[in-house]
Amino acid sequence: LNPPGTSVSLDDLLKASRDQFDKIFADQMRPAPGEGTDSAAVPAAAETTETIEPGGNGDKRAFAPVPHDQAFAVTKEPPGEAAAAAPRRGAASAAADLGGHLDTATSPVPVDLIEHALANACDEMEAVRHRAAAAPILDARHRSIPMITDARGRMLAGRFGACVTEMPGAENFRLRPGDVVLQSDPYECRGAVSHLGNWMVLVPIFHDDALAGFASMLGHMADVGGPVPGSMPAAATSIFGEGLRIPPIKIYDRGEPNRAVLDLITNNTRTPKRNHGDLTAMVAGCRLGERRVIEICERFGTDTYQAASEALLDRTNRVMRRLIVDGLPEEPQTFEDIVDDDGRGNGPFKMRLTVWREGEHAFFDWTGTAAQAPGPINFYLNDNMFRMCVGAHMMTGLDPRGLFNDGYYDLIGVTLPQGSLLRPDFPAALGCGTHVLARQFDVLAGALAKNAPEQAAAAGYGADPHFLYSGTDRQGRPFQLTESLFGGIPGRPEGDGLDGHSWWPDSENVSTEHLESYFPLLVEHCGTRPDSGGAGRHRGGNGVEKIYLMLEDGEISIHDDRHATGPWGMIGGKPGACSAKRLIKADGTEQALPSKVDHVRVQAGDRILFRTAGGGGWGDPLEREPRRVRDDVARNLLTTDVARDDYGVILGGDGLNIDVRATEDCRATLRSRRGPSDPFEFGDRPSGGVQESLMLDT
């Protein structure tokens, strides 16, 4: 992190207090002796930038390699206007433009080296953030998203979940070395972040006085204000009730902190020290990414680095073309699923997706999705964010070796109806929208499965469960916990779904030791829910069952979904179990809790039973090997009743021996009683009417 000639180590930066961090950062960015600090006059935006047009969203975002003393200009078009994707230059043309510094057809070694160097840099960024973060959702859960982009904001290496091309919003920035931009408002960046609790940091990378790219990191903050600790109020009706909105703004200018902005931001949260620590951890991670890109440019040359970047994007483009042709239907296929409720008594809400391809181009149309919800489950889906979702789904499912970057976006057209659940109008509430984001993957899987169900997975737990506990202990010290839980991953053609796992990439659970050390509670039980995974030849993963014992008076919030609609099964597989929550008072009385609720008062000695949904099963349960059913029972993943009723496997009194003859008879009986199976098994659906789309205007 430290420039040549300085003695500041990485550990110095990570251990620094707020004032020390700012001083170290400013010292690192101070220009060398004789280097100028004043910028030239800013030319007009048209003279300093070159725009690209991501297909289908109508926005023009300028990320051109401009001198660092010129303006970083962004032009903003009205949302929803269609725009054809500008043709992206391939690696060969880029190399030709650069005077032949990199012949990608005959010199793949530099491309491979740069690819792995960028991937390693992202891992290092995450490691720095992990060592320095304060909140458990960042520190213990690793819920942050590092990314390195080219000068246009196109991701070269990183993780799913953020979109740099939309980050700056409508602002014009004069970017210089040492600048850091912060953003948290989804409406200001058209969904580059999903809700106010996600803070996104952007650091420009300069080499030889030109913009080489950006290092970025997104992290979930413990609290950003609003009426409810944790800043995800289940009863919110607009974004104004969810916390502090941060438009794109410089928090560091040439290495100098913007004290007024930082004080304003931290003054509007219940956890100012924790938020500031997490923010500086992300800045430190981005600074490391900046340093690594500069080192790559110095080693290979800027021209080679830029040509290699184009080659990496072109590789992914070729991979995605093949996957589109091999995996998507030419005849449009439509799939629907529902979100249970919006936390305010409304719902369920339909999500509807139609998929088809034309040649090597794929099209995804969300027309027919329900109108935006009155409550906070709306998810402002950025077009490029959805393209990222498509790539994550198709590459991990069909070609895990494929390179994951932004090089394929020109191949995918997206239609998102304005005013819908996935493109709400300002100022719709967004704080619980990650349930819709999770369900989006189920709908996407279902739509793609219609073309080849034998190659597709079932539905997962399809939500983003959260448990929040806050109050003041007997010593007068405030506490606030935000924990995100996992659920069942669906059964797949290759095997069983994972038990108690995250649908979000690279996430880890918060350990019991961490929770009990830093918060006034005990975890009395944490394990998978037996029988919650849908039965199938490949079993759906079980959900999580967790019991918290409160040691202090306080209040809790719960956010989850799939409490009324179980995750669907595939080609004979059964749906997974629904989620459920209960408050167990110290006197033994129990109270069922909604899936989305705030301000539940708890007292020392009370318990919360938190159960998440399982994953859907894949294939006929009667085709599962009896030995595997017995093993599941022995591991407490299934009960003997479900082994008998769903799998037709009869076990002896000790549960370890299979009665072969009785099993054969039971399975024959079960086969005779059932009718033909559908490709999708949805199970029971809510009896109330589904919220249909109230508009079809795109």
Side-chain angles (χ1 to χ4, degrees):
L1 282 174
N2 47 305
T6 66
S7 60
V8 178
S9 69
L10 175 61
D11 284 335
D12 291 332
L13 195 58
L14 297 184
K15 296 175 182 177
S17 68
R18 169 177 171 166
D19 292 341
Q20 291 169 334
F21 181 95
D22 292 339
K23 183 179 185 302
I24 292 170
F25 191 92
D27 288 344
Q28 288 182 351
M29 300 315 304
R30 189 164 289 120
E35 184 178 327
T37 59
D38 293 332
S39 299
V42 181
E47 299 173 0
T48 62
T49 64
E50 127 186 25
T51 62
I52 60 169
E53 301 180 18
N57 69 2
D59 277 356
K60 299 179 180 179
R61 295 289 186 265
F63 284 88
V66 297
H68 72 259
D69 62 349
Q70 295 182 4
F72 180 88
V74 179
T75 60
K76 190 172 185 179
E77 301 288 341
E81 293 186 3
R88 184 181 54 74
R89 299 184 307 161
S93 62
D97 292 347
L98 296 170
H101 289 276
L102 174 64
D103 183 352
T104 57
T106 59
S107 304
V109 174
V111 178
D112 291 339
L113 291 174
I114 289 172
E115 173 202 346
H116 291 294
L118 291 173
N120 290 339
C122 284
D123 289 341
E124 286 187 276
M125 290 169 64
E126 171 66 9
V128 169
R129 195 274 322 145
H130 172 64
R131 291 178 61 185
I137 200 164
L138 279 183
D139 176 23
R141 256 210 74 185
H142 295 259
R143 190 156 186 175
S144 62
I145 301 166
M147 187 180 297
I148 294 174
T149 80
D150 68 2
R152 294 182 175 184
R154 298 174 297 179
M155 181 180 72
L156 300 174
R159 296 178 184 170
F160 161 81
C163 184
V164 169
T165 54
E166 309 286 356
M167 164 70 172
E171 300 295 326
N172 290 331
F173 288 108
R174 184 193 298 270
L175 291 180
R176 306 177 179 89
D179 287 353
V180 180
V181 178
L182 176 65
Q183 155 76 280
S184 79
D185 189 341
Y187 290 107
E188 286 292 321
C189 62
R190 286 180 51 80
V193 298
S194 60
H195 62 94
L196 298 181
N198 284 340
W199 287 6
M200 189 173 183
V201 169
L202 189 73
V203 171
I205 305 171
F206 292 94
H207 185 252
D208 291 338
D209 292 327
L211 182 65
F214 296 90
S216 176
M217 185 166 283
L218 180 146
H220 184 93
M221 295 295 110
D223 186 276
V224 294
V228 176
S231 307
M232 295 186 291
T237 58
S238 83
I239 198 169
F240 294 112
E242 295 181 322
L244 180 67
R245 298 172 58 211
I246 306 174
I249 192 167
K250 282 189 184 181
I251 57 173
Y252 288 86
D253 190 343
R254 285 179 284 185
E256 295 294 336
N258 187 333
R259 294 287 190 189
V261 168
L262 290 170
D263 288 345
L264 186 149
I265 290 171
T266 55
N267 196 51
N268 280 275
T269 170
R270 297 172 179 84
T271 55
K273 292 183 179 179
R274 186 181 299 176
N275 282 32
H276 188 272
D278 292 341
L279 177 59
T280 54
M282 291 193 293
V283 172
C286 289
R287 286 277 288 125
L288 180 62
E290 175 193 24
R291 170 53 56 190
R292 293 293 180 257
V293 171
I294 292 173
E295 289 171 353
I296 295 171
C297 290
E298 291 174 345
R299 176 182 178 185
F300 294 96
T302 303
D303 293 341
T304 297
Y305 174 72
Q306 291 180 353
S309 298
E310 290 290 342
L312 293 175
L313 295 167
D314 191 61
R315 279 185 184 180
T316 302
N317 189 278
R318 294 196 303 270
V319 169
M320 184 56 71
R321 288 177 186 272
R322 175 174 56 81
L323 294 180
I324 288 172
V325 172
D326 293 345
L328 297 187
E330 292 184 296
E331 186 70 22
Q333 301 291 333
T334 298
F335 188 82
E336 297 178 358
D337 203 348
I338 59 177
V339 180
D340 292 342
D341 73 284
D342 69 345
R344 295 185 58 84
N346 305 296
F349 295 84
K350 179 191 293 185
M351 295 181 66
R352 186 177 193 268
L353 177 63
T354 302
V355 178
W356 74 97
R357 72 173 176 89
E358 296 176 9
E360 295 180 323
H361 290 76
F363 297 88
F364 297 81
D365 187 350
W366 288 96
T367 298
T369 293
Q372 65 191 58
I377 62 166
N378 303 291
F379 186 85
Y380 196 113
L381 183 58
N382 175 271
D383 293 52
N384 282 343
M385 177 71 77
F386 180 67
R387 293 181 175 99
M388 186 179 290
C389 294
V390 171
H393 182 89
M394 294 185 66
M395 289 186 184
T396 56
L398 302 177
D399 189 354
R401 297 170 299 175
L403 305 171
F404 189 60
N405 57 42
D406 286 2
Y408 61 90
Y409 286 1
D410 60 319
L411 303 176
I412 296 176
V414 182
T415 300
L416 289 162
Q418 192 66 35
S420 69
L421 196 66
L422 295 171
R423 183 60 66 81
D425 292 322
F426 178 82
L430 308 172
C432 298
T434 46
H435 302 306
V436 171
L437 174 62
R439 194 65 50 81
Q440 172 190 249
F441 280 97
D442 290 341
V443 178
L444 178 61
L448 297 178
K450 287 201 166 184
N451 187 48
E454 69 283 351
Q455 299 178 10
Y461 64 102
D464 192 15
H466 276 75
F467 173 71
L468 300 97
Y469 173 40
S470 61
T472 302
D473 66 19
R474 281 163 252 191
Q475 285 73 44
R477 298 170 301 189
F479 61 88
Q480 182 175 313
L481 166 66
T482 300
E483 183 186 11
S484 183
L485 288 85
F486 302 153
I489 301 301
R492 306 158 290 157
E494 297 84 2
D496 294 345
L498 302 176
D499 301 302
H501 203 273
S502 175
W503 64 271
W504 190 266
D506 301 309
S507 288
E508 298 179 10
N509 67 297
V510 181
S511 69
T512 296
E513 292 80 5
H514 185 104
L515 292 175
E516 295 181 343
S517 296
Y518 292 98
F519 301 98
L521 58 77
L522 294 177
V523 178
E524 291 193 331
H525 170 75
C526 182
T528 63
R529 293 175 61 191
D531 301 337
S532 58
R537 188 169 79 191
H538 296 152
R539 179 179 57 81
N542 281 337
V544 170
E545 180 176 88
K546 199 163 188 176
I547 300 176
Y548 302 90
L549 171 63
M550 310 298 130
L551 302 181
E552 297 282 358
D553 296 351
E555 70 174 43
I556 67 164
S557 294
I558 286 175
H559 300 285
D560 201 0
D561 205 75
R562 286 290 196 201
H563 64 94
T565 58
W568 39 267
M570 280 286 300
I571 54 175
K574 294 182 178 295
C578 294
S579 63
K581 320 292 180 294
R582 298 191 74 82
L583 169 61
I584 306 171
K585 301 295 291 183
D587 62 7
T589 59
E590 297 188 14
Q591 174 188 350
L593 297 174
S595 67
K596 303 171 185 69
V597 63
D598 293 321
H599 302 303
V600 177
R601 297 298 304 175
V602 292
Q603 297 175 316
D606 291 348
R607 292 170 172 81
I608 296 295
L609 173 60
F610 201 120
R611 289 172 171 164
T612 64
W618 190 94
D620 186 351
L622 302 183
E623 295 178 359
R624 187 173 179 85
E625 297 176 18
R627 173 186 56 80
R628 299 182 66 190
V629 177
R630 178 204 62 193
D631 292 346
D632 286 340
V633 172
R635 295 168 181 151
N636 200 33
L637 301 174
L638 293 178
T639 62
T640 55
D641 288 345
V642 169
R644 179 191 65 238
D645 297 341
D646 287 349
Y647 292 95
V649 174
I650 308 300
L651 301 175
D654 57 3
L656 299 178
N657 297 313
I658 302 170
D659 188 326
V660 177
R661 180 61 179 272
T663 295
E664 292 174 351
D665 292 342
C666 184
R667 288 189 161 186
T669 300
L670 291 175
R671 288 191 181 95
S672 68
R673 292 176 179 172
R674 67 186 185 185
S677 64
D678 295 324
F680 303 94
E681 177 57 57
F682 292 97
D684 296 332
R685 290 288 190 175
S687 57
V690 175
Q691 300 287 324
E692 302 285 349
S693 173
L694 301 182
M695 47 72 64
L696 297 177
D697 182 18
T698 61

